Amino acid sequence: MSVSTTKETVTVLRLAGDIGLGEMDALLGSMTDLVLENKNKVVLNFRQVKHVSLNAISKLAERNQRFKALGGEIKLVGLIPYVGNLFKLVGAYSNFDVVYDEDEAVARFDS
């Protein structure tokens, strides 16, 4: 996972590979650190992710609800069709703002 911060208020996390519960727990730990730094606007780039476990998606959806309660949000970028379908299967797809690219996702935080 690589991390970059844009516009001082939006953090972009670029993910890769398969994401199971262990990887999701590590990701959520990183996101908890961001909240503690008052950075609750996050873009997750899934462009290089091939699979996400259904339980991991559920955990991420729960975290997005917490971010929204704090005035922030998690936006998803670059879902391949298979991964997008997994989000839909769990019923989590509509809980996220799903965007094609990082620049658009970052810009949506300003609108």
Side-chain angles (χ1 to χ4, degrees):
M1 170 176 58
S2 67
V3 179
S4 66
T5 302
T6 59
K7 295 191 176 185
E8 297 182 22
T9 60
V10 179
T11 303
V12 177
L13 302 173
R14 294 178 188 94
L15 312 173
D18 293 343
I19 300 177
L21 283 176
E23 292 82 8
M24 184 57 68
D25 286 342
L27 174 61
L28 295 178
S30 296
M31 293 171 68
T32 297
D33 293 342
L34 291 172
V35 169
L36 294 174
E37 297 172 16
N38 203 28
K39 296 179 180 179
N40 57 359
K41 296 177 181 177
V42 176
V43 174
L44 296 181
N45 187 331
F46 279 81
R47 196 161 313 282
Q48 295 186 14
V49 173
K50 304 301 180 207
H51 176 78
V52 183
S53 80
L54 300 179
N55 289 330
I57 292 171
S58 295
K59 283 186 161 194
L60 185 59
E62 290 171 11
R63 184 56 53 97
N64 192 36
Q65 293 306 315
R66 290 185 194 159
F67 269 56
K68 286 180 178 180
L70 296 170
E73 187 177 7
I74 301 168
K75 297 187 185 293
L76 307 181
V77 170
L79 295 179
I80 63 171
Y82 171 73
V83 172
N85 286 336
L86 292 174
F87 274 81
K88 290 174 185 174
L89 181 67
V90 176
Y93 190 89
S94 62
N95 294 331
F96 292 94
D97 186 8
V98 180
V99 184
Y100 180 73
D101 68 24
E102 287 180 10
D103 291 336
E104 180 183 354
V106 170
R108 284 194 185 186
F109 279 114
D110 293 333
S111 59

